[in-house]
Amino acid sequence: MARTSNRTNSAPRPRRSFGDFVKAFLAFVALAVLVVGVPAALATFLGWPLPDELPSVDFFQQQITVQTFLSVLGVVCWLAWAQFTACVLVEVKAAVSGVGMPTRVPGAGGSQALARQLVAALLLVTASAASFAPGLANLGQSPADQHRPAVAASAQQLPGQAQSQTVREAVEQQAAAQAKAAAEHAAEAEGSTKFYRIQPPQGRHHDSLWEIAERHLGDGRRYSEIYDLNKNRVQPDGEKLSKASLIRPGWIMEMPADAFGGDLVETPAAVQETERGAFAGSAAGSGNADIADYAKSGSGGAQAQGGQAKPGGKHAGKPAAGSVDTDTTQIVIPRDWSTAVPSQATPAAPATSQTPATATAVTAADGQGFSFGLPEALLGSPLLAAGLLAALGRRRRAALWQAATRSGSGGAGNTPLVPTGDAADVHDALLVGADPEAVRRLDRALRGLSESLAAASRPLPTVYAAWLTGTAIHLQLSQPYGTPPAPWTHGQDPTFWQLEAGADDHADGGSGGGSDSAGDTAAPYPGLVSLGTLGDSRLLLNLESVPGIVSLSGARADRDAVMASVAAELATNGWSDRMTITLVGFGEELLPLAPSRLRHLEDIDDMFQAMEAETRQRAGALGVAGHDSVLTGRTGHIQNTRWAPHLVLMAAEPTEEELDRLAGLASGAGRLGIGYFVAAGAKDVPGAAWEMEITGDGRLLAPLLGLDLEAQQLPADQRAAVVRLFNEADPGSDPAAASGGAQARGAQPFLIDITEAGRPAVYARLVGPYELIGLDTPDGDRSALLHEALALLLLHREGVNPRVLAAALWPRGATDDVRDALVERLRDWLGTDPDGTARLGSDAAGRLTLARSVVSDLDVLRSLHHEAASGRGAGDTAVRERLLTDALGLVRGPLIQDRPAGRYQWLGHEIIEAQLPLLVADVALALSGHHLGLDRPEPAIEALTVAVSSAPEDERLWHGLLRATHATGDEARLSELVARLADRGSAHGRGLAPRTEALIDELLPAWRRGGAAAG
């Protein structure tokens, strides 16, 4: 009889490779050793763990010996073996029965995972492996193949074997019965397909495929199975899932067969059509109808294969610029900026360094002609430049004070090094590009918002990003959050809050000036950092609030430039109080920028160890405090420094396993105040909420976020120059080493001839009210501008870049012709020396310099002090007294007293305002010491009193006053001075300094009894 078969209805038998059999054999050996070999070894060497009889009371009173420890260790080993064996039995039962995910053995996370892998490898060569480990069984199959219902094989006559009609009919009947059962089983399996609907955000929490897999599959790393099942299938809103990191509320996800959980939905395929009528007219019904449609599209319809989206879909096609989706984490470009923003349909032209959004001082024509060699990257980064400049100023002032208080050293001789070469260009770029007013405005606005919300007992909303323009600050919220507190208003939709320029004058909730002081209101969004510009708008992304990882791909040098910019701005910005920035795999050279904020880890394992511990600690602290997120802990009376952000910037190259581990760590980190920015080069990073790419031409692209920015970067050469500036400001740095081996320009103060022969042609008094001798006052309104320009040049005898001069005089920017006209006008005003040389010239680098015939009283003061300490006064006490007295006589008040409103703002960047009080204190201390040596306390007190008015915070002056007053022998006068000091300390809330208190104990032991130290 001819052979008949029905191969079209038979399931192909899987083919096993030699490697599969090797893995199965090794798994069998491992299981045999662990399940059988371990108890045999334990029984042989340690004995049976259970005692032969119940222990008596005497047993517990016996001395503990080594044998006791061995016995306890044996019991622990027996228990571990029993737990692992239980895991193996549970996994085998689940694999054989095909029930899906096995029961969890309590406390056996690692043991059960090992047992599962070994059993799966052993059963890989059997049919049971398919039901136990779908990930292994379906390798190499498409998602459609993985979930196609199996078809039972029909009966087949064996070749060469006779068969009677009865037997044949019986076999055919049996085959038909098997086919029917298989069909029923397939229908049942299809009817119990499980679906999950993406939930809307709850506060700071957003659904992600990782968390869905973690909740419903028991392992977040199985998110890819959900993605494969639903990739490119049309969702109810007409869009498709094309990235595992971008899902929207309301979307439907088909789940693997072993998914579990109460919020899953099962849609019986057999009754979908009949139920659709009943579903109509109700919200729940509409949702089930969507699920029914979605389940139907998964059977190979055109939509599942990439067909067109449903007409009228809410998000059909790519979102255009200005589109708003309040349910996602997309960064939205506000509609009312369309005139200033390049079209998203075509690549945007590279923006120039002018950024009206942040009021930079870069001129409109600087891209043409001579640019004086200033690096454009810093010129176009006004917030970064302002932060670096402020941090550099703090570092230099701290160095001066350390030098002043160091034993045997004063502050006048510790002039900061004047940068040279690339460092000089970078320093000039910081001066030109910095916009401290924008920093102050942003800081005041955010703290004021926090203060207003706290007063209304409202928590802070989650902010994803801030857009800065020249006219307003725009905050993009994660979801609508009600009416914003005045003076904030709604933007283009309820997810935007905006603050118009000038409307925040009353909202001074903090330091405002960009200091690290928190003031009365904690910084609410310290994780904001600049990423780049789009037209006239600057984007700041809140790394702390991102619901997952921010990833950056591109060439290594470009990635490092972006990451360095982010790290430097976070470390020095003016709208944060406290934070920690961990740099992984890069940036060790950046630590001098902010040693208290930055830390470096070279190894990824160290990062995991540190961040896993901190994640547990923060989660526990939030639970104890009863907060849902760190934002709750930053407002009102409960604000606490524990909720300062921790931002991890990673440039190391992680493995796939490390990326999966990082995704799990970052999945819930947003509410804990922890953010992750990963620049590992890979485009597909598990758990990445926002994916970006930096191109070779400096564009920062994030298509899924609708962004095409001109990236903010800090390239390697400029990064090195910035670090050099900070190293040179370190009081312990060696000048030659800090300057790269070259002599630092201007390391010594500018000294002049103080004899009659050195009488200057132009003399400016700057220490006190501004006065000029030797020049006529210019006519018209330009007089104030010329006076200010001359003051800037007098304070920088090493020279001033013309762009720096223009940026100082016109902080909001000026064109080249305006700048050049000012320079020519200033040159004409200053005139020439008798030999015909112009008093305003230029050096080889194009910097403006003054002739030595133009001096200031500050130059004279420095020269007199130097001559008294190291010149003629060093060996002649009478000459020394005269020089010091003349120097102190030049002090008429603070530097440029009574400055016109709105002018001389550049002095906020200058170190001279910290140098001058120290110089005056050094002169006064030297002069008072001279008088006390000659037993003349009254002149000593007079000299110190003059200096105290200029430097009231210098404790050295108060110590000198105490000693000089004690030398008069007038105890009542000394008691009055002690009382004055005590009142001063109480007014500042810090009391007397320890050294001052010890000196008072020595000079006036009875001061405590008299109540002079009250407070």
Side-chain angles (χ1 to χ4, degrees):
M1 180 177 295
R3 183 180 63 179
T4 62
S5 66
N6 191 1
R7 294 187 180 273
T8 59
N9 292 331
S10 62
R13 188 179 299 277
R15 302 182 62 178
R16 307 299 180 191
S17 66
F18 176 75
D20 293 334
F21 286 99
V22 172
K23 292 178 182 178
F25 174 74
L26 294 176
F28 172 77
V29 172
L31 285 172
V33 170
L34 293 173
V35 176
V36 180
V38 169
L42 289 174
T44 301
F45 295 103
L46 296 180
W48 185 249
L50 298 179
D52 298 332
E53 58 184 8
L54 292 176
S56 62
V57 177
D58 295 336
F59 174 80
F60 297 99
Q61 297 177 347
Q62 294 179 1
Q63 183 179 1
I64 297 177
T65 63
V66 175
Q67 184 60 38
T68 306
F69 282 106
L70 292 176
S71 299
V72 173
L73 180 62
V75 172
V76 172
C77 293
W78 276 106
L79 291 176
W81 168 81
Q83 184 189 58
F84 178 77
T85 303
C87 294
V88 172
L89 294 176
V90 167
E91 297 296 331
V92 171
K93 178 179 181 298
V96 175
S97 61
V99 297
M101 289 298 291
T103 304
R104 298 192 180 205
V105 178
S111 298
Q112 189 161 7
L114 175 62
R116 181 177 306 159
Q117 295 296 326
L118 293 175
V119 174
L122 178 61
L123 298 182
L124 185 64
V125 295
T126 70
S128 299
S131 63
F132 171 74
L136 291 174
N138 296 326
L139 285 175
Q141 301 182 28
S142 66
D145 295 333
Q146 293 177 16
H147 295 275
R148 183 180 295 116
V151 180
S154 61
Q156 176 179 321
Q157 183 176 358
L158 299 178
Q161 178 180 359
Q163 187 173 14
S164 64
Q165 183 70 18
T166 303
V167 174
R168 186 165 56 249
E169 290 177 357
V171 172
E172 291 175 355
Q173 291 176 1
Q174 182 181 5
Q178 292 176 347
K180 180 178 180 182
E184 292 176 353
H185 178 73
E188 180 181 356
E190 184 180 357
S192 61
T193 302
K194 300 170 184 177
F195 296 89
Y196 175 82
R197 186 180 291 274
I198 305 299
Q199 298 301 307
Q202 299 293 330
R204 292 172 64 87
H205 178 267
H206 294 255
D207 242 346
S208 67
L209 291 186
W210 182 283
E211 291 187 339
I212 294 170
E214 200 169 50
R215 291 197 306 269
H216 298 295
L217 300 176
D219 188 350
R221 290 172 294 184
R222 294 185 63 188
Y223 77 94
S224 58
E225 298 177 33
I226 306 176
Y227 174 70
D228 290 338
L229 280 174
N230 298 275
K231 182 179 179 181
N232 291 330
R233 290 172 62 178
V234 178
Q235 295 291 337
D237 62 0
E239 288 202 352
K240 302 174 184 177
L241 175 66
S242 58
K243 281 283 187 180
S245 58
L246 184 62
I247 58 177
R248 302 180 186 274
W251 279 10
I252 299 164
M253 296 290 117
E254 181 179 345
M255 304 292 291
D258 58 346
F260 56 87
D263 51 353
L264 298 179
V265 177
E266 296 185 5
T267 303
V271 296
Q272 286 176 3
E273 296 299 327
T274 59
E275 289 182 346
R276 287 181 58 85
F279 289 155
S282 69
S286 175
N288 287 330
D290 287 342
I291 294 176
D293 286 341
Y294 189 75
K296 188 176 182 180
S297 73
S299 60
Q303 290 178 333
Q305 301 301 323
Q308 297 298 320
K310 294 188 299 183
K314 184 173 87 171
H315 302 283
K318 179 182 178 180
S323 65
V324 178
D325 184 350
T326 60
D327 294 331
T328 71
T329 58
Q330 185 175 13
I331 301 300
V332 178
I333 305 169
R335 287 190 296 265
D336 55 353
W337 303 350
S338 57
T339 58
V341 175
S343 170
Q344 295 296 297
T346 59
T352 63
S353 59
Q354 297 91 306
T355 52
T358 50
T360 64
V362 182
T363 61
D366 279 334
Q368 305 172 1
F370 188 41
S371 65
F372 303 100
L374 300 188
E376 297 295 331
L378 286 172
L379 292 177
S381 306
L383 303 184
L384 170 61
L388 289 171
L389 204 56
L392 182 61
R394 290 193 296 270
R395 179 69 59 85
R396 286 174 169 175
R397 287 189 289 273
L400 286 174
W401 279 106
Q402 290 178 30
T405 57
R406 191 179 301 126
S407 176
S409 175
N414 293 273
T415 304
L417 300 179
V418 175
T420 60
D422 292 343
D425 291 337
V426 164
H427 188 260
D428 287 344
L430 293 178
L431 290 169
V432 175
D435 187 3
E437 175 59 26
V439 174
R440 185 195 67 85
R441 183 164 61 101
L442 178 62
D443 184 38
R444 284 178 28 145
L446 295 178
R447 294 182 194 267
L449 174 64
S450 176
E451 186 176 2
S452 299
L453 290 172
S457 299
R458 296 174 61 186
L460 291 166
T462 300
V463 169
Y464 281 147
W467 290 92
L468 268 64
T469 70
T471 59
I473 298 173
H474 302 257
L475 298 182
Q476 182 177 346
L477 314 184
S478 63
Q479 58 184 331
Y481 196 71
T483 303
W488 290 82
T489 60
H490 273 305
Q492 67 178 55
D493 64 70
T495 64
F496 269 92
W497 287 3
Q498 69 181 27
L499 181 68
E500 298 295 334
D504 61 333
D505 291 340
H506 75 283
D508 195 357
S511 61
S515 69
D516 273 348
S517 174
D520 296 330
T521 305
Y525 303 111
L528 285 168
V529 64
S530 303
L531 288 184
T533 56
L534 183 63
D536 291 341
S537 306
R538 180 168 299 275
L539 171 66
L540 283 82
L541 184 66
N542 190 3
L543 291 179
E544 181 189 14
S545 71
V546 177
I549 298 171
V550 178
S551 68
L552 178 67
S553 60
R556 179 61 189 262
D558 298 327
R559 285 186 279 126
D560 284 354
V562 173
M563 294 290 277
S565 168
V566 170
E569 185 171 300
L570 287 172
T572 62
N573 71 42
W575 53 90
S576 302
D577 296 328
R578 304 169 185 87
M579 67 167 59
T580 301
I581 303 109
T582 297
L583 310 178
V584 184
F586 87 108
E588 186 174 8
E589 72 279 5
L590 297 174
L591 296 184
L593 303 187
S596 62
R597 286 191 182 185
L598 290 169
R599 71 172 181 176
H600 175 262
L601 297 175
E602 192 64 41
D603 192 83
I604 296 179
D605 289 337
D606 294 338
M607 184 275 295
F608 279 126
Q609 182 178 358
M611 297 313 301
E612 286 171 349
E614 181 164 346
T615 298
R616 291 192 298 270
Q617 187 272 332
R618 288 199 175 211
L622 277 180
V624 171
H627 302 328
D628 59 343
S629 76
V630 295
L631 288 180
T632 310
R634 288 188 188 150
T635 54
H637 66 282
I638 58 176
Q639 56 183 271
N640 195 298
T641 58
R642 290 183 301 175
W643 316 129
H646 189 158
L647 304 174
V648 179
L649 310 181
M650 178 186 295
E653 299 286 349
T655 64
E656 292 185 7
E657 292 76 10
E658 289 170 338
L659 284 174
D660 287 341
R661 186 178 176 185
L662 181 63
L665 189 62
S667 61
R671 71 182 189 92
L672 303 178
I674 302 175
Y676 293 89
F677 192 3
V678 179
K683 287 191 175 182
D684 295 321
V685 176
W690 293 336
E691 296 178 339
M692 303 179 184
E693 178 184 3
I694 178 66
T695 65
D697 60 351
R699 308 301 300 176
L700 189 65
L701 308 179
L704 294 178
L705 302 179
L707 294 179
D708 182 353
L709 307 174
E710 182 185 5
Q712 178 171 295
Q713 301 183 72
L714 188 58
D717 55 342
Q718 298 176 36
R719 188 159 67 242
V722 167
V723 172
R724 177 181 160 192
L725 287 174
F726 278 79
N727 286 334
E728 288 177 350
D730 192 323
S733 66
D734 177 67
S739 303
Q743 180 63 34
R745 181 160 46 93
Q748 296 298 324
F750 176 75
L751 302 177
I752 63 172
D753 184 0
I754 58 176
T755 66
E756 185 65 26
R759 181 179 293 273
V762 177
Y763 181 65
R765 292 181 176 178
L766 303 179
V767 185
Y770 191 173
E771 298 177 5
L772 272 179
I773 299 174
L775 285 178
D776 296 330
T777 302
D779 296 330
D781 297 331
R782 295 193 178 98
S783 176
L785 199 63
L786 290 173
H787 275 76
E788 184 175 359
L790 177 58
L792 178 61
L793 292 169
L794 284 168
L795 295 178
H796 289 277
R797 303 305 304 227
E798 74 277 6
V800 177
N801 189 297
R803 296 180 71 175
V804 174
L805 179 65
L809 300 179
W810 295 285
R812 298 191 64 83
T815 56
D816 285 354
D817 57 341
V818 172
R819 177 193 65 205
D820 295 341
L822 170 76
V823 172
E824 290 303 317
R825 196 174 293 114
L826 182 62
R827 182 176 285 111
D828 293 340
W829 180 45
L830 291 175
T832 60
D833 285 332
D835 61 358
T837 303
R839 291 170 181 157
L840 177 63
S842 300
D843 63 9
R847 290 182 170 83
L848 301 173
T849 58
L850 290 174
R852 296 187 65 86
S853 60
V854 182
V855 302
S856 70
D857 55 355
L858 185 59
D859 300 328
V860 178
L861 177 59
R862 286 171 173 159
S863 299
L864 288 170
H865 177 264
H866 181 269
E867 189 71 15
S870 306
R872 290 177 296 150
D876 190 328
T877 57
V879 173
R880 185 165 183 261
E881 178 183 342
R882 179 174 58 81
L883 292 171
L884 292 174
T885 302
D886 290 345
L888 198 60
L890 295 174
V891 180
R892 301 173 299 126
L895 187 70
I896 311 181
Q897 193 174 18
D898 302 327
R899 304 166 192 169
R903 306 227 62 92
Y904 297 92
Q905 296 181 9
W906 49 269
L907 276 174
H909 300 313
E910 299 290 337
I911 192 64
I912 183 58
E913 290 208 286
Q915 286 178 302
L916 179 59
L918 292 175
L919 177 60
V920 173
D922 281 354
V923 172
L925 288 169
L927 185 57
S928 67
H930 169 76
H931 286 307
L932 286 176
L934 298 176
D935 196 20
R936 297 186 298 201
E938 292 298 338
I941 292 175
E942 183 180 352
L944 291 168
T945 302
V946 172
V948 162
S949 63
S950 297
E953 300 299 323
D954 195 335
E955 291 294 328
R956 299 176 303 157
L957 297 176
W958 293 105
H959 293 172
L961 271 176
L962 286 169
R963 291 188 174 94
T965 305
H966 179 264
T968 64
D970 190 342
E971 187 171 322
R973 188 176 178 183
L974 181 60
S975 298
E976 183 181 351
L977 178 59
V978 170
R980 178 183 168 193
L981 277 172
D983 292 340
R984 173 177 168 270
S986 298
H988 288 79
R990 59 175 180 258
L992 291 172
R995 291 185 178 184
T996 303
E997 190 171 344
L999 180 60
I1000 296 174
D1001 285 335
E1002 173 65 24
L1003 300 178
L1004 188 64
W1007 72 284
R1008 298 183 187 274
R1009 291 201 310 269

